[in-house]
């Protein structure tokens, strides 16, 4: 039930576009908040995996001190033989899939 690197890369691209559209289009912002799965599917042909809990709220509407929550699954440690290959793959994916946020 995991999400692959390609899906995460696509998600980053779609989310940036959706935020920009929501800033420019109040009707889309309402649609995104009321049914984010349908909005992302309709406007960006992006399907949020059904097993993922997903909602969109405006940052100003979060209670003070509360932040968005994202649960990430840490994959099992690869065996010693595969460790260098897996590490190199992760580093390559990270280098190619920066979201453009200042933290990257």
């Amino acid at each position: 039930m995991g999400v692959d690197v390609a899906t995460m890369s696509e998600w980053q691209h779609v989310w940036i576009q959706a935020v920009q559209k929501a800033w420019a289009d109040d009707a889309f912002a309402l649609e995104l908040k009321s049914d984010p799965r349908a909005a992302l599917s309709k406007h960006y042909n992006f399907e949020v995996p059904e097993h993922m809990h997903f909602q969109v709220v405006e940052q100003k509407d979060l209670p003070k001190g509360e932040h968005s929550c994202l649960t990430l699954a840490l994959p099992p440690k690869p065996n010693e033989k595969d460790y260098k290959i897996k590490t190199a793959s992760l580093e390559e994916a990270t280098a190619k899939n920066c979201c453009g946020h200042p933290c990257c």
Side-chain angles (χ1 to χ4, degrees):
M1 282 197 181
V3 177
D4 62 28
V5 173
T7 302
M8 289 304 297
S9 178
E10 182 183 5
W11 162 250
Q12 291 170 346
H13 180 74
V14 165
W15 182 244
I16 290 168
Q17 289 183 347
V19 168
Q20 290 172 336
K21 184 172 179 68
W23 288 344
D25 181 348
D26 290 339
F28 175 73
L30 288 173
E31 184 180 355
L32 186 62
K33 290 184 289 184
S34 67
D35 192 348
R37 287 180 194 278
L40 294 176
S41 178
K42 174 182 171 184
H43 294 275
Y44 300 101
N45 199 31
F46 183 82
E47 302 299 326
V48 176
E50 285 299 319
H51 65 275
M52 296 181 88
H53 171 74
F54 183 68
Q55 69 179 32
V56 174
V57 297
E58 290 194 39
Q59 189 171 3
K60 68 179 182 62
D61 294 335
L62 290 173
K64 188 174 181 174
E66 186 175 323
H67 302 282
S68 298
C69 179
L70 175 63
T71 303
L72 302 172
L74 183 62
K77 183 177 179 178
N79 63 42
E80 218 173 291
K81 178 179 135 189
D82 294 334
Y83 182 77
K84 287 184 181 181
I85 294 169
K86 300 252 185 208
T87 303
S89 295
L90 286 172
E91 288 172 357
E92 181 181 333
T94 302
K96 290 181 179 177
N97 295 306
C98 177
C99 68
H101 191 274
C103 70
C104 299

